[in-house]
Every structure is written in C-alpha cells, then in structure tokens.
Amino acid sequence: MKKYDYVLVGSGLYSGVFAYLARQKGKKCLVVEKRDHMGGNIYCEETEGIHVHRYGAHIFHTSNKKIWQFVNELAEFNRYTNSPVANFKGEMYNMPFNMNTFSRMWGISTPAEAKAKIEEQKASITGEPRNLEEQAISLVGKDIYEKLVKGYTEKQWGRDCKDLPAFIIKRLPVRFTYDNNYFNDLYQGIPIGGYNVIIEKLFEGCDMEMGVDYLENKEYYDGLGDRVIYTGTIDGYYGYRFGKLEYRSLRFETQVVDIDNYQGVAVVNYTDRETPYTRIIEHKHFEFGTQPKSVITREYSVDWSEGMEPYYPVNDEKNQELFQKYAALAEKEDHVIFGGRLGEYKYYDMDKVIESAMSRADKEFG
Ligand SMILES: Cc1cc2nc3c(=O)[nH]c(=O)nc-3n(C[C@H](O)[C@H](O)[C@H](O)COP(=O)(O)OP(=O)(O)OC[C@H]3O[C@@H](n4cnc5c(N)ncnc54)[C@H](O)[C@@H]3O)c2cc1C
C-alpha cells in the first residue's frame, strides 16, 4: 500500500481545489512544489503591510453562483470593482470604452452623439479588414484606436498593428452607459486578507514539500502515491519529446514608494507606444489600504524564452497541434491526471480553473 492517495505536483489553485475536495473524502495528499511558497500565480507577498500580487494583478470575478459560494466559504470577499484607467500621454480615460471615455474624448454627452461619432470614424474602412489596425478601426473608429488600442496592443505583441492579423481582435466591447465596471460578471471582489488566506485553507491537512522539482525526482514521488495530479507543463512532463510549447511572458518591476496614494486606482494602462511598460498596478487599492507607503509594479510584456515564467499559452495553430500530440499521450495515462493552465496548456481565469478541478474531483470521487 502506498503512503498517499494523491501526490499533487504544484500548489496553485487547481491543485488546491482538488486537494481540498480529496481531503473532505478522507484522502491522504502530498503536495510537491518547486517554488519556495505555495499558491502558484495567485500568491501574494506582504510588503509594507500590503498584499502584493507577485505574479500579476488578480481580480476574482465569476457568474457561476456555485463557484462564488465555494470561494466565499474559504474567505470573505471585499467590494472591489475593477475599473482600470488608461493613460495616453497624460490624458486619462475610463475603461472599458464607455460613455465616460467618449465624453472625455469628444466632449459629447449622450449615447446618440457617441454612436454617431464612432459610425463616422468607422466609415474610413471599407471591405474586409486586412490587418489588426483596420479591424480595430472598423470596430471602434480612429480616435479610440489611436489613443487607446494601438500602442498598448503593439507593446503586448511586440509588433506593429499593421503587421498583426485582424483575427486577434474579434470584438472590442463598447458600452453606451456611464459604467466603468470592467467585468460583466455577476460577482467580483478580492479575498479579505489576500489570496493566501484561500490557499492556506485549500491545502490544510496536506503534507507539503516546497522547493522540490517533481520531474527531477519523478520515480521517487510516483512511488509515494496511488495517483499523481500534475499541474506543471505538459511538454516538460514528456521531456519535450515532440518540441517545446510557446508562451508569452511578463516582466514585473516592483517598487515601494514613499507616498500613501500613487495613482488613485489599482490599475493604470499606459496606452502610448513610447512608455515601455503596459501598465502600473498599485496593490493597496485592491483592498482599500490606508498604509503610509505604497507598492507599485510596472508590468512589461515580453517574449518568452527558456528559464522565464510561462504566463500565457500561445494558442495558435502551430502550438495547438503540438499540444494535441502531448494530450494524446496524457489520455493514455491511468496513473496521472493533467490539470490547470500548464497541464492543459490553456488560459484559465480563476473561476474556470476551480470549476475544472471540481469536475475532475467529481469524476474521481463520484
Ligand atoms: C498575469 C496574470 C494575471 C491574471 N489575472 C487574473 C485575474 O485577474 N482573474 C482571474 O480570474 N484569473 C487571472 N489569471 C489566471 C490565474 O492566474 C489562473 O487561473 C490560476 O492561477 C491557475 O492556477 P493553476 O493551478 O492552473 O496554475 P499555477 O498557479 O501556475 O500553479 C502551478 C504550480 O505548479 C508548480 N510547478 C510547475 N511545475 C512543477 C514541477 N515540475 N514540480 C513542482 N512544482 C511544479 C508551479 O511552480 C506553480 O506553483 C491571471 C494569470 C496571469 C498569468
């Protein structure tokens, strides 16, 4: 008989939810994590009494009542509503594109005036858009494209909008109401006390080993458990035998500033091409912090290369094809379950990763 029912590789949200549900069924779990802390990308680090989102800003939002109830059993959520602001060369615009944005841009006041302005500016594109620039103008008109879409998108992709394919932007949400709430979901907020509160509850009762790369000691850990829940990279699991999957990465520059309120909002997007970073996060605003100092993070969009944190899977045709080869191998495994954003090579919001781990646990425990 093996010592554990499950060996969980990685201590992110997927593993956490699975472990929590497994523990409720009396299963014994060992968690192996290569970082020196648990929580995966939702981990928060405390600096100056502020919970700093070390791997990028995380705002919980969902329309799924079951998931909302589940996370609220783990932590109480505050009333944070994401309302980012765009800074274009010092001009400040509300996001997402809504009546506040249009009023600031054109000095207009009614939805009819805003619609007429956009229609007039869209008219410059006739026929099928040939690139991302034409596509964006055909959706929101020239002014919004030039001030709020162009520079930001070029920084994100590292290429000129004229050289990017039109299909990248299928739609650009436009709202003809004075509503700055970024998300359309029914529920949103930040866990009071930060995401670590949730993570600690999820892994309660599990044995944990930090700073251990499972792949370097695979046989040993496989020998400890009946089944493995693997949330690392799927190509890494198979020794990259068909080639490496690609990602987009981010670089964060975090700084303590000697001022209690640096930018007045959690997220400011820099939408001009010249500012090298895409946004600045001021972490205290996620939790309405009143500390005397503040912590800000400049976020840069960068190409991913070996040794960097793989943030966003590149789900283009080439990478999807490669992923399918690995997925075919994974399907044949009866001892290992692949899950989460790296195991499934898929961008998952937090609510979706919880949903996925829950449905997997349902299959396991009935
Ligand atoms: C920049 C950014 C911002 C985001 N913002 C939001 C947001 O605002 N709202 C939202 O809902 N979602 C957001 N997300 C998505 C959210 O981060 C994910 O849904 C969630 O973190 C995925 O959890 P996971 O368990 O699948 O993966 P992860 O959190 O990546 O956990 C995987 C863990 O496995 C460990 N691991 C990997 N390989 C090994 C190995 N060989 N041995 C041991 N350990 C290993 C890793 O170190 C990591 O800790 C954002 C994502 C990013 C990248």
Side-chain angles (χ1 to χ4, degrees):
M1 219 177 96
K2 296 198 177 175
K3 195 171 171 198
Y4 295 99
D5 295 299
Y6 293 99
V7 170
L8 297 112
V9 180
S11 63
L13 202 47
Y14 185 96
S15 259
V17 170
F18 190 94
Y20 184 79
L21 299 173
R23 294 280 308 137
Q24 284 183 343
K25 297 283 177 187
K27 306 288 182 193
K28 285 165 79 183
C29 299
L30 170 68
V31 180
V32 183
E33 167 59 59
K34 69 176 174 188
R35 294 177 180 167
D36 62 1
H37 60 76
M38 54 182 180
N41 283 356
I42 67 171
Y43 169 73
C44 293
E45 202 163 48
E46 193 165 320
T47 308
E48 300 290 338
I50 297 162
H51 300 122
V52 174
H53 297 200
R54 172 154 154 194
Y55 301 96
H58 278 75
I59 298 126
F60 195 91
H61 58 98
T62 187
S63 288
N64 184 328
K65 195 168 188 174
K66 182 178 159 198
I67 302 294
W68 184 238
Q69 282 169 342
F70 177 77
V71 293
N72 275 271
E73 278 166 25
L74 303 168
E76 202 175 335
F77 275 66
N78 70 17
R79 60 159 187 86
Y80 177 80
T81 302
N82 197 32
S83 312
V85 173
N87 180 330
F88 178 76
K89 302 185 177 182
E91 293 173 26
M92 308 304 282
Y93 294 97
N94 286 111
M95 305 275 287
F97 310 139
N98 72 79
M99 283 305 297
N100 291 302
T101 327
F102 309 142
S103 172
R104 171 87 171 86
M105 183 134 347
W106 298 312
I108 52 97
S109 54
T110 67
E113 287 172 302
K115 280 179 189 168
K117 200 83 188 160
I118 291 175
E119 283 309 314
E120 174 198 316
Q121 295 199 357
K122 279 160 74 163
S124 68
I125 304 295
T126 50
E128 197 59 27
R130 284 167 304 177
N131 53 43
L132 192 145
E133 173 166 301
E134 293 188 1
Q135 171 76 347
I137 295 174
S138 76
L139 291 169
V140 290
K142 203 158 180 290
D143 289 345
I144 296 177
Y145 166 70
E146 280 181 354
K147 290 190 168 179
L148 302 178
V149 178
K150 185 177 189 299
Y152 193 83
T153 310
E154 290 182 346
K155 286 190 280 193
Q156 270 190 321
W157 290 92
R159 279 156 72 186
D160 200 287
C161 283
K162 284 201 184 88
D163 300 329
L164 286 165
F167 75 81
I168 292 181
I169 293 187
K170 291 203 181 73
R171 23 176 246 120
L172 282 168
V174 175
R175 232 182 241 165
F176 294 99
T177 51
Y178 288 91
D179 177 4
N180 296 330
N181 181 350
Y182 192 78
F183 297 116
N184 289 317
D185 279 324
L186 259 181
Y187 314 105
Q188 69 178 302
I190 303 283
I192 294 174
Y195 286 95
N196 296 2
V197 172
I198 288 185
I199 286 296
E200 274 156 26
K201 288 247 178 75
L202 289 176
F203 288 112
E204 221 168 68
C206 297
D207 287 343
M208 311 284 298
E209 287 190 27
M210 295 290 133
V212 175
D213 188 334
Y214 158 83
L215 292 176
E216 285 173 9
N217 301 278
K218 190 170 172 304
E219 259 174 52
Y220 168 73
Y221 286 106
D222 285 350
L224 293 181
D226 288 335
R227 303 196 87 178
V228 172
I229 307 294
Y230 179 83
T231 68
T233 54
I234 188 167
D235 54 345
Y237 184 90
Y238 289 109
Y240 308 102
R241 69 176 74 162
F242 303 128
K244 286 189 177 169
L245 291 165
E246 290 174 315
Y247 295 86
R248 286 290 296 167
S249 196
L250 298 168
R251 183 164 65 80
F252 299 112
E253 254 176 37
T254 297
Q255 182 190 352
V256 175
V257 284
D258 199 5
I259 182 170
D260 66 333
N261 187 2
Y262 179 80
Q263 62 183 17
V265 66
V267 183
V268 176
N269 289 357
Y270 283 78
T271 58
D272 65 297
R273 185 70 188 85
E274 293 72 32
T275 305
Y277 40 87
T278 48
R279 47 187 202 165
I280 296 184
I281 308 300
E282 187 173 13
H283 301 268
K284 71 190 317 179
H285 295 304
F286 288 125
E287 298 181 65
F288 313 103
T290 55
Q291 300 84 350
K293 293 190 182 179
S294 198
V295 181
I296 59 166
T297 300
R298 292 188 176 81
E299 194 173 303
Y300 299 80
S301 187
V302 292
D303 284 332
W304 178 78
S305 60
E306 198 69 45
M308 286 172 106
E309 204 53 60
Y311 282 107
Y312 300 112
V314 179
N315 292 115
D316 61 7
E317 225 170 281
K318 182 181 101 189
N319 282 287
Q320 273 317 111
E321 258 174 41
L322 183 54
F323 169 68
Q324 287 311 329
K325 289 189 184 171
Y326 288 117
L329 291 183
E331 244 167 58
K332 290 189 199 127
E333 308 276 358
D334 51 1
H335 165 83
V336 192
I337 294 167
F338 292 78
R341 65 181 192 101
L342 301 172
E344 297 174 62
Y345 193 62
K346 187 171 177 180
Y347 180 82
Y348 267 131
D349 271 334
M350 289 181 276
D351 60 330
K352 296 292 185 302
V353 99
I354 294 173
E355 234 176 278
S356 163
M358 278 180 165
S359 87
R360 190 67 228 196
D362 269 354
K363 271 193 207 152
E364 279 290 290
F365 317 127

